[in-house]
Amino acid sequence: MNVKTPNAIDSYVGARIRMRRQLLGMSQERLAEQIGVTFQQVQKYEKGINRIGASRLQRIAAVLHASPSFFFEQGDSQPLAVRGLDAPDHTDPVAEFLRTKEGLVLNRAFLKIADPDIRQSIIALVTAMSQAESRGLAATTSIAEMSHPLAE
């Protein structure tokens, strides 16, 4: 392995740290301050360039309100599997979505909704819209029609 090439596991853990930090709306500077390093060091952790020691990972987990195991989990909370980690088609669609600006904005807004009925309505609406799009329904379908997919 090339010395300058980040290890796949280090890159994955770093990406999970970045995702969690962004979900919380925390800057690299703030995380760095909380764990006692420079923001450049946080950048290197997130890119997988520098490895994170166990005690530092424990501190990062505490600051980001997550368990250390969170940074090693793959889809459906499964432990990290080394095999296939370097493969370009090995992506967690949820993690990929949360890395986008839209994913972060949508997730933050959704988390601010306290009413469980409103949350369920939003989930039903988005589900209906995705089903309508996959069935090729016209964009003129009303939101009211799509928000009651179970009424069919």
Side-chain angles (χ1 to χ4, degrees), residues 2-107:
N2 183 345
V3 175
K4 294 184 180 187
T5 303
N7 177 283
I9 294 174
D10 295 332
S11 294
Y12 184 83
V13 169
R16 298 279 292 179
I17 290 170
R18 181 173 193 263
M19 177 184 69
R20 181 69 182 163
R21 176 184 60 75
Q22 289 179 328
L23 273 173
L24 296 174
M26 184 182 290
S27 68
Q28 288 180 331
E29 291 84 2
R30 176 69 192 253
L31 177 58
E33 178 184 301
Q34 296 288 315
I35 64 172
V37 299
T38 64
F39 83 91
Q40 293 93 338
Q41 183 67 22
V42 170
Q43 287 177 330
K44 290 178 182 182
Y45 288 155
E46 290 183 356
K47 291 178 182 177
I49 295 169
N50 286 5
R51 290 188 172 172
I52 305 169
S55 60
R56 175 84 22 93
L57 185 61
Q58 178 69 36
R59 179 69 186 137
I60 291 169
V63 169
L64 297 178
H65 309 290
S67 68
S69 64
F70 168 82
F71 303 110
F72 295 92
E73 293 173 353
Q74 289 175 308
D76 300 327
S77 300
Q78 297 174 3
L80 182 61
V82 177
R83 185 183 317 167
L85 193 59
D86 292 321
D89 63 341
H90 177 57
T91 57
D92 176 3
V94 174
E96 289 298 316
F97 175 67
L98 291 174
R99 287 185 191 120
T100 67
K101 183 176 182 177
E102 296 87 0
L104 286 170
V105 170
L106 185 60
N107 192 54

Side-chain angles (χ1 to χ4, degrees), residues 104-121:
L104 286 170
V105 170
L106 185 60
N107 192 54
R108 284 185 191 139
F110 188 80
L111 290 173
K112 290 179 182 177
I113 300 169
D115 187 329
D117 292 333
I118 293 175
R119 283 180 174 229
Q120 281 305 118
S121 295

